[in-house]
Amino acid sequence: WGREVYRFNNQPDRVTQLDEEITKLLQQSPSWYSDAGSRVIVGRFLLPQGTDPKKVLDGAYNIVKRQQPTFAPAFVASGELALAKNDFALAAQNFEQAVKFDATDADAHFGLAQAFAASDSEKAEAALKAALERNPNHIGCLLLIVDGHIDSERYSDAETLLTAVDAINPHHPRAA
């Protein structure tokens, strides 16, 4: 997550430095990162580094799901990976499990909204509402609503939300 903080605050040099530091730590002491939370974080780190998604799924997320079957972050990470592969049914399954195990997680509800966006607008809208109830400043949710406004040619509403996103984080890459 530190990478994202630096990336969203327009510090690409620090992202590169952090990537190098994390890689070195993972190589030097892999056993330090074998608990459930660390495995999920390492998986999220490895994906943008070019690691095969199937290896991350099998070598991190699925191991966590077997060892701790109610650990919601593993289901959120698996759902995000399924979304990246446009497997919306699998994404929905994972996000539904995440919501079941941790109904307070706005990201789980947001993922569910994304998974249902193309196939079930009522479920998507309910999930989006649930996410925003938990975090009214959830940028992903706000940008998903912006996309809907643009698709419906409600440009003024989209502009209003983009202004809100800019106030939350002016460096967010999708807010520009």
Side-chain angles (χ1 to χ4, degrees):
W1 297 103
R3 299 178 74 254
E4 299 301 305
V5 170
Y6 289 124
R7 189 167 65 92
F8 288 164
N9 283 288
N10 200 27
Q11 297 179 16
D13 292 341
R14 187 63 180 117
V15 171
T16 302
Q17 180 183 0
L18 193 57
D19 285 351
E20 292 168 1
E21 291 171 10
I22 292 170
T23 300
K24 186 176 178 182
L25 287 169
L26 290 172
Q27 291 170 346
Q28 289 176 343
S29 305
S31 64
W32 290 359
Y33 309 100
S34 60
D35 63 282
S38 294
R39 283 184 188 269
V40 170
I41 291 169
V42 168
R44 284 189 165 145
F45 170 76
L46 292 172
L47 286 168
Q49 305 300 315
T51 303
D52 177 33
K54 178 106 172 92
K55 285 185 179 182
V56 172
L57 183 64
D58 293 339
Y61 304 157
N62 287 342
I63 289 173
V64 172
K65 287 194 256 183
R66 279 192 302 275
Q67 291 174 344
Q68 294 188 24
T70 61
F71 189 69
F75 290 93
V76 171
S78 295
E80 290 169 349
L81 184 55
L83 281 178
K85 295 296 181 183
N86 294 318
D87 188 339
F88 300 108
L90 182 60
Q93 290 173 356
N94 277 285
F95 289 121
E96 284 173 332
Q97 288 293 84
V99 167
K100 175 182 169 185
F101 299 132
D102 184 2
T104 66
D105 187 344
D107 289 332
H109 290 282
F110 171 58
L112 197 54
Q114 291 177 291
F116 284 124
S119 63
D120 191 330
S121 61
E122 286 183 22
K123 284 184 179 179
E125 197 169 310
L128 196 57
K129 180 181 177 191
L132 287 170
E133 286 171 356
R134 284 144 183 85
N135 180 0
N137 292 325
H138 193 286
I139 290 178
C141 290
L142 297 174
L143 291 173
L144 187 60
I145 295 169
V146 166
D147 290 343
H149 287 327
I150 291 171
D151 291 345
S152 300
E153 298 183 7
R154 294 189 309 267
Y155 302 115
S156 176
D157 293 338
E159 185 63 36
T160 299
L161 273 181
L162 284 173
T163 299
V165 168
D166 189 53
I168 296 166
N169 183 354
H171 299 295
H172 192 283
R174 284 204 49 219

